[in-house]
């Protein structure tokens, strides 16, 4: 997954990524935003395309945070490259406490980042089973496509389109132009 963080959350995200890799075998890339203006969207988008996941870690409340803008940009620019929903780890929607102990409790820690990412990874076994079934037995499912519900047929079509898109991008040495053209004609769910 790609973890996007800013300021003090970068160090906590790096610590969380290390724990996730050592203890759980989950590799994460941490992107240090450094500044919001100008925002280095190229780095963020290229990492999300590589990993297929986006997690923002913010020390501000969820409502109107910078992570919402990054989530919006990623959803607009590389929706078809995402393997799951965008996750935002933030402080609760409360005034930030001034007491050190309370502040430490509400600001995301490395342990909370690990816990939230593991909870998210374990919360979608249905999606993982569906993806494994669709990717592992695509031929069998295509033969029985008449038996599928409309939502399942749509998911199957999206997965087929996504795999064609990725093959097309891999074949294109330049990368950018062809990917943009393919996305502009992509079906909207």
């Amino acid at each position: 997954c790609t973890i996007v963080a800013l300021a003090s959350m970068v160090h906590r995200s790096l610590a969380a990524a290390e724990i996730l890799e050592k203890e759980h075998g989950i590799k994460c890339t941490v992107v240090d935003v450094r500044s919001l203006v100008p925002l280095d969207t190229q780095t963020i988008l290229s990492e999300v395309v590589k990993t297929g996941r986006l997690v923002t870690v913010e020390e501000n409340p969820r409502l109107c945070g910078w992570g919402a803008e990054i989530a919006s940009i990623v959803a607009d620019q590389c929706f078809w490259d995402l393997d799951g929903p965008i996750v935002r780890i933030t402080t609760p929607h409360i005034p930030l406490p001034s007491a050190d102990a309370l502040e430490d409790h509400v600001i995301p820690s490395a342990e909370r980042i690990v816990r939230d990412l593991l909870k998210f990874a374990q919360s979608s076994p249905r999606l993982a089973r569906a993806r494994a079934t669709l990717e592992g037995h695509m031929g069998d499912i295509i033969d029985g496509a008449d038996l599928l519900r409309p939502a399942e047929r749509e998911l199957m079509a999206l997965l087929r389109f996504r795999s064609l898109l990725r093959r097309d991008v891999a074949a294109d040495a330049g990368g950018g132009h062809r990917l943009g053209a393919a996305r502009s004609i992509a079906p909207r769910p």
Side-chain angles (χ1 to χ4, degrees):
C1 72
T2 300
I3 301 174
V4 178
L6 178 68
S8 66
M9 294 298 104
V10 173
H11 302 292
R12 294 177 187 202
S13 297
L14 286 168
E18 192 174 310
I19 293 168
L20 285 165
E21 186 168 8
K22 283 183 181 176
E23 296 179 12
H24 304 284
I26 299 172
K27 286 191 139 208
C28 294
T29 302
V30 177
V31 176
D32 181 355
V33 176
R34 293 189 185 251
S35 74
L36 296 173
V37 178
L39 181 60
D40 184 7
T41 55
Q42 292 290 77
T43 300
I44 296 168
L45 294 173
S46 67
E47 289 301 320
V48 170
V49 168
K50 286 179 194 173
T51 64
R53 301 271 180 173
L54 172 65
V55 177
T56 64
V57 180
E58 311 164 58
E59 62 179 307
N60 49 282
R62 183 176 186 83
L63 184 65
C64 300
W66 59 263
E69 183 62 26
I70 290 178
S72 172
I73 291 168
V74 168
D76 286 344
Q77 302 278 326
C78 52
F79 176 79
W80 300 107
D81 294 305
L82 291 171
D83 290 332
I86 296 169
V87 176
R88 293 183 58 213
I89 301 172
T90 65
T91 62
H93 191 63
I94 58 170
L96 195 59
S98 58
D100 288 342
L102 293 175
E103 184 181 33
D104 289 341
H105 182 71
V106 298
I107 293 178
S109 63
E111 293 79 20
R112 179 168 159 224
I113 295 167
V114 168
R115 185 178 64 240
D116 287 358
L117 283 174
L118 289 175
K119 182 171 60 174
F120 171 72
Q122 295 168 354
S123 70
S124 58
R126 184 172 168 195
L127 178 63
R129 276 196 315 273
R131 183 176 293 118
T133 300
L134 287 172
E135 291 176 354
H137 305 290
M138 191 61 83
D140 298 338
I141 290 176
I142 290 172
D143 293 338
D146 296 339
L147 304 174
L148 297 176
R149 294 182 291 217
E152 292 167 329
R153 281 195 295 271
E154 185 177 339
L155 176 62
M156 187 173 70
L158 288 174
L159 285 172
R160 263 190 273 147
F161 177 78
R162 185 169 168 229
S163 69
L164 290 173
L165 179 67
R166 284 193 172 174
R167 271 189 246 134
D168 193 31
V169 170
D172 181 20
H177 297 331
R178 205 162 200 183
L179 181 62
R183 280 205 192 101
S184 66
I185 61 168
R188 295 288 178 195

